[in-house]
Amino acid sequence: MKHITKTAKLLIICLSTLLFANCSDYLDVVPDGVATLDNAFSNRVNSEKFLYTCYNMIPSQNDPFTYPGNVGFDEIWWDIDASGLNNRSGARIARNDQNASDPFQNYWDGRRDGRNLWVGIRDCNIFLENIERVPDLQAWERVRWISEVKFIKAYLHYFLLQMYGPIPIVDTNFPVDAPTEDVRVYREPVDDVVEYIVNLIDESMENLPDFIEETASEMGRITKPIATSVKAKVLVWAASPLLNGNPDYAHIKDGRDISLFPATADKTKWERAANAVKEAIDICHTNGNRLYHFQGETGNMSGNTLKNYTLRGAVCERPMMNPEIIWAHPSNSNNKDTRDQFQRYCTPKFYDTYAGTSELSATLKIAEQYYTMHGVPIDEDPEWDYSGRYEVRKDTGTYHSDYISAGETTAKLNYYREPRFYAHLAFDRSLFEYYTATGSETRVIKNRSGDDHGVVFSDAHIVTGYFIKKLISFRSTTAATNRSTYTFSIPVIRLSDLYLLYAETLNEVKEIPDNEVYQWIDSIRSRAGLEGVVEAWRKYSIIPGKPATKEGMREIIKRERLIELAFEGQRPFDLRRWKDAMQYMNQPVQGWDYQGVQIDEYYVVKDYLTNRNYTTKDYLWPFWTTTIIRNSNLIQNPGW
């Protein structure tokens, strides 16, 4: 074979991503500052840098503003007065500013807070085509790296599928002499894309490790439990209403007259998904994954406080101490600033020195989403004062001694709620727990205007009245003059996610739900201190038979996912795949009036955004108009 010049090599790179990418960003990590394949694969050290370049393209939900599962939907709200946040893509999408002329969070072209995932796919292909050239790489390491990169390539295709629906399949890069027409790719049918992703994940599993042994240097790298779990989630997406016989998309064909979406729903997709989820759970169990329970020194800690640390720790404890985490995002493992973003924006102003805190909050609807102390929705529990939930009352009950400051007044909405409500949220006059070397300590949240944690100036307050305590580690120091943050990566997948997916898939497969469906959701509820669904609904709900029907159980499972996985970047993806997003997104964004000084001024429900007009088109991201012009073989998503 003739030697290929450096110019030709770079041309291959540019051609392979024509219409997808600008070839100026060849590598994120470039050996010795020289972007050539000769250097990239000249030895083990440089090829490992290229491996991490592939890893670096995996989107991270640690970024509040650029990840599609965070700010921009209806769960996490930004400080509307903070000018620095209002122009970020998530905030613009939340205001219904998404568009085709220059889309926000553009993961196709790498614009407007999006990363060009086709660059990542291209780099994966370059890696796979050249890794055999590395002279000093041991055979076992070579096959492991190949498996990892195959998985990453599959995952990037999957991420694009979740955002855009049908996408091209780019299994190999185009040759240098490829005709222009060949690189004007078509979107492939959803089912073909799913099969490609699943088959590639299956290939990757051959040489993946069961678990990470070098936790200090390799945590976050791909394992068999990660691969099987992602495969399961891919198949759940394929089975869900958005992509499985969605009548809104039944007529969509490309220029080849090929239908891009399945015309009718296929129940067997749920069966296949259920089998895949169960396989993933079994592999995770075999490799030591289990639900997290706090293991620190408990001392005189109350049962409620211990449960609080368990429920928060399921997310904010690092993988080395948390067997529930299947996969935490790898590329930020050494980047404190990235991993610290949510804590920086969610933490109340505990410090003498202001450090950019208190700008992201939970919406009022999320506070209402959690169950009562009986484990049923607040509008189904006849013992709970639903009609009076926006009224206020002074704390007098022993049930709240670990949750609300004694003798203080807060909204009735904050009383007699399930433990996850108090573990995930902090609010005016609630207790905020943090763990120190001497045991558990608490601080009282005071969030009315002029209070310690209320509005002081425009860039230092939450809007809705609910702090996202779940994304603040209980190991982060709160009593110092400056922040001392215990950093962690928000899990990409944890075991609770799989348990709830298995309950969901089984419920769709079975004619009526049974104990096999109940047991997986009940295991999550048990850790949260709640009775199982059958008992809870029988004893406390005005709809006692709800868990006995497929439709009722579907509603219960959905709500359980929205509660258990709140603020973890899952909700927007779930609501879209269920085709429930329009129902939720068109509700007003509400919260307490943060400018209120007195009780009767603060506890007023205020609309912070109305008339969002979320429609069918918003279920899939738009393509940039320029991309459609460049490649006439691509068709725009419906409605854009």
Side-chain angles (χ1 to χ4, degrees):
M1 179 182 296
K2 292 183 179 180
H3 178 70
I4 302 176
T5 66
K6 292 181 181 179
T7 300
K9 290 171 185 173
L10 291 176
L11 183 57
I12 291 172
I13 294 164
C14 292
L15 276 175
S16 69
T17 50
L18 181 66
L19 314 172
F20 292 141
N22 186 312
C23 64
S24 63
D25 56 353
Y26 165 43
L27 289 178
D28 295 306
V29 179
V30 183
D32 301 324
V34 181
T36 71
L37 298 185
D38 289 337
N39 281 332
F41 297 97
S42 61
N43 56 50
R44 182 194 180 280
V45 172
N46 284 349
S47 59
E48 187 176 38
K49 291 179 181 179
F50 206 121
L51 171 67
Y52 289 128
T53 292
C54 297
Y55 267 102
N56 194 45
M57 291 304 297
I58 298 172
S60 173
Q61 64 269 54
N62 290 312
D63 190 321
F65 308 108
T66 68
Y67 189 76
N70 294 329
V71 172
F73 224 69
D74 68 334
E75 182 176 47
I76 301 172
W77 201 244
W78 80 101
D79 176 0
I80 201 165
D81 294 328
S83 58
L85 300 188
N86 269 331
N87 289 320
R88 297 300 299 272
S89 61
R92 296 292 299 276
I93 291 173
R95 291 204 299 265
N96 207 42
D97 289 342
Q98 185 61 288
N99 64 92
S101 60
D102 199 359
F104 297 102
Q105 295 180 353
N106 184 344
Y107 280 81
W108 192 280
D109 305 283
R111 296 172 58 85
R112 308 296 291 272
D113 281 339
R115 307 188 69 183
N116 188 325
L117 298 191
W118 297 110
V119 170
I121 291 170
R122 176 207 62 200
D123 286 344
C124 289
N125 286 334
I126 292 173
F127 182 94
L128 295 172
E129 291 164 2
N130 290 275
I131 191 61
E132 297 293 342
R133 299 168 48 186
V134 183
D136 57 343
L137 192 59
Q138 296 186 57
W140 68 268
E141 198 165 33
R142 191 188 312 273
V143 295
R144 177 190 174 186
W145 289 9
I146 289 172
S147 286
E148 289 177 272
V149 172
K150 282 184 177 181
F151 171 85
I152 295 169
K153 184 166 75 165
Y155 186 81
L156 296 181
H157 277 88
Y158 166 53
F159 198 88
L160 289 165
L161 173 74
Q162 292 178 93
M163 294 189 67
Y164 298 97
I167 60 170
I169 295 172
V170 181
D171 191 47
T172 59
N173 290 339
F174 294 105
V176 65
D177 58 350
T180 302
E181 186 58 35
D182 287 357
V183 297
R184 289 197 175 115
V185 293
Y186 286 91
R187 301 170 70 182
E188 299 301 333
V190 163
D191 288 347
D192 291 353
V193 177
V194 169
E195 287 306 308
Y196 172 77
I197 295 169
V198 167
N199 290 337
L200 193 55
I201 292 176
D202 284 341
E203 287 181 28
S204 77
M205 281 191 274
E206 182 178 0
N207 293 299
L208 291 174
D210 292 323
F211 54 89
I212 297 299
E213 294 182 356
E214 299 294 331
T215 56
S217 60
E218 295 187 350
M219 188 59 68
R221 287 179 62 174
I222 307 305
T223 62
K224 286 181 181 176
I226 292 171
T228 55
S229 299
V230 170
K231 174 184 173 181
K233 298 198 76 168
V234 172
L235 290 172
V236 169
W237 259 83
S240 297
L242 182 66
L243 299 181
N244 187 11
N246 184 348
D248 297 328
Y249 301 150
H251 65 287
I252 305 297
K253 294 184 179 182
D254 65 10
R256 302 166 297 180
D257 200 35
I258 293 176
S259 295
L260 297 182
F261 296 86
T264 58
D266 182 354
K267 183 178 178 179
T268 64
K269 291 180 179 179
W270 283 112
E271 296 171 359
R272 187 183 183 193
N275 292 334
V277 178
K278 185 57 166 64
E279 178 186 12
I281 290 173
D282 290 343
I283 289 177
C284 289
H285 284 171
T286 299
N287 286 283
N289 291 107
R290 62 186 184 276
L291 295 184
Y292 171 85
H293 290 271
F294 178 72
Q295 298 297 317
E297 179 61 45
T298 58
N300 295 323
M301 192 182 300
S302 71
N304 286 335
T305 301
L306 177 60
K307 192 179 302 297
N308 189 298
Y309 287 147
T310 287
L311 295 173
R312 288 168 65 188
V315 170
C316 68
E317 283 284 62
R318 296 171 182 165
M320 292 80 76
M321 298 183 292
N322 186 353
E324 183 165 342
I325 294 179
I326 299 168
W327 188 22
H329 192 273
S331 65
N332 297 315
S333 58
N334 296 313
N335 187 335
K336 177 179 178 180
D337 289 339
T338 303
R339 290 180 294 140
D340 186 31
Q341 282 198 67
F342 265 114
Q343 291 197 86
R344 185 164 70 248
Y345 288 117
C346 294
T347 304
K349 297 188 300 296
F350 288 140
Y351 318 102
D352 294 340
T353 302
Y354 172 69
T357 56
S358 302
E359 294 174 2
L360 296 179
S361 55
T363 58
L364 184 65
K365 74 160 70 169
I366 300 302
E368 295 184 315
Q369 168 183 275
Y370 288 83
Y371 296 133
T372 71
M373 63 186 292
H374 294 139
V376 298
I378 59 176
D379 59 347
E380 290 186 28
D381 189 339
E383 297 183 20
W384 199 84
D385 185 10
Y386 181 76
S387 62
R389 65 192 183 280
Y390 300 145
E391 300 171 2
V392 298
R393 58 163 287 183
K394 180 179 289 189
D395 175 62
T396 57
T398 56
Y399 176 78
H400 298 94
S401 61
D402 293 314
Y403 302 135
I404 296 174
S405 182
E408 292 280 8
T409 298
T410 188
K412 285 186 177 180
L413 181 65
N414 302 328
Y415 285 89
Y416 301 109
R417 305 299 297 277
E418 62 156 309
R420 285 177 297 191
F421 176 85
Y422 302 106
H424 294 180
L425 301 174
F427 50 88
D428 179 48
R429 270 51 187 181
S430 71
L431 299 181
F432 192 103
E433 311 82 3
Y434 57 100
Y435 189 72
T436 69
T438 59
S440 182
E441 299 184 26
T442 60
R443 298 186 71 170
V444 179
I445 297 295
K446 296 183 178 181
N447 193 50
R448 299 165 203 163
S449 181
D451 281 349
D452 292 345
H453 313 121
V455 58
V456 176
F457 54 90
S458 63
D459 288 348
H461 65 277
I462 63 168
V463 177
T464 65
Y466 288 95
F467 294 90
I468 306 174
K469 184 162 65 172
K470 185 182 187 181
L471 300 184
I472 306 167
S473 172
F474 52 72
R475 298 184 187 276
S476 292
T477 301
T478 65
T481 56
N482 290 289
R483 281 187 327 126
S484 178
T485 304
Y486 179 90
T487 59
F488 63 94
S489 282
I490 299 171
V492 181
I493 306 175
R494 58 188 178 98
L495 196 60
S496 295
D497 188 352
L498 292 186
Y499 283 6
L500 294 171
L501 285 180
Y502 195 43
E504 179 182 351
T505 55
L506 285 176
N507 187 62
E508 296 302 328
V509 169
K510 295 174 181 287
E511 292 301 320
I512 57 172
D514 57 17
N515 288 334
E516 188 180 17
V517 177
Y518 302 142
Q519 66 171 314
W520 298 99
I521 190 171
D522 285 352
S523 64
I524 305 298
R525 291 171 60 88
S526 176
R527 180 177 61 178
L530 303 176
E531 294 184 70
V533 291
V534 174
E535 283 299 296
W537 261 260
R538 180 181 63 82
K539 293 164 63 175
Y540 305 115
S541 173
I542 59 175
I543 316 172
K546 192 174 185 178
T549 68
K550 180 192 289 282
E551 294 75 17
M553 196 61 200
R554 180 186 294 134
E555 183 180 327
I556 291 171
I557 293 168
K558 286 180 177 181
R559 188 163 191 147
E560 194 71 34
R561 279 189 66 83
L562 297 179
I563 293 172
E564 176 64 25
L565 303 175
F567 314 117
E568 297 178 46
Q570 299 284 344
R571 178 187 176 96
F573 291 102
D574 276 341
L575 291 182
R576 286 173 53 236
R577 72 176 176 85
W578 292 331
K579 285 192 67 181
D580 289 347
M582 287 172 61
Q583 168 191 342
Y584 288 86
M585 287 295 289
N586 288 318
Q587 297 170 1
V589 175
Q590 296 178 317
W592 304 121
D593 188 347
Y594 71 92
Q595 298 185 65
V597 176
Q598 303 300 324
I599 291 175
D600 60 347
E601 297 170 331
Y602 179 85
Y603 287 109
V604 175
V605 175
K606 184 174 180 178
D607 290 344
Y608 288 104
L609 186 71
T610 58
N611 302 320
R612 239 193 305 203
N613 194 32
Y614 192 97
T615 66
T616 302
K617 72 177 184 179
D618 293 292
Y619 279 100
L620 295 177
W621 250 241
F623 295 109
W624 184 25
T625 303
T626 302
T627 296
I628 300 296
I629 294 172
R630 288 174 178 172
N631 181 3
S632 57
N633 290 336
L634 292 177
I635 62 170
Q636 182 61 276
N637 272 325
W640 295 104

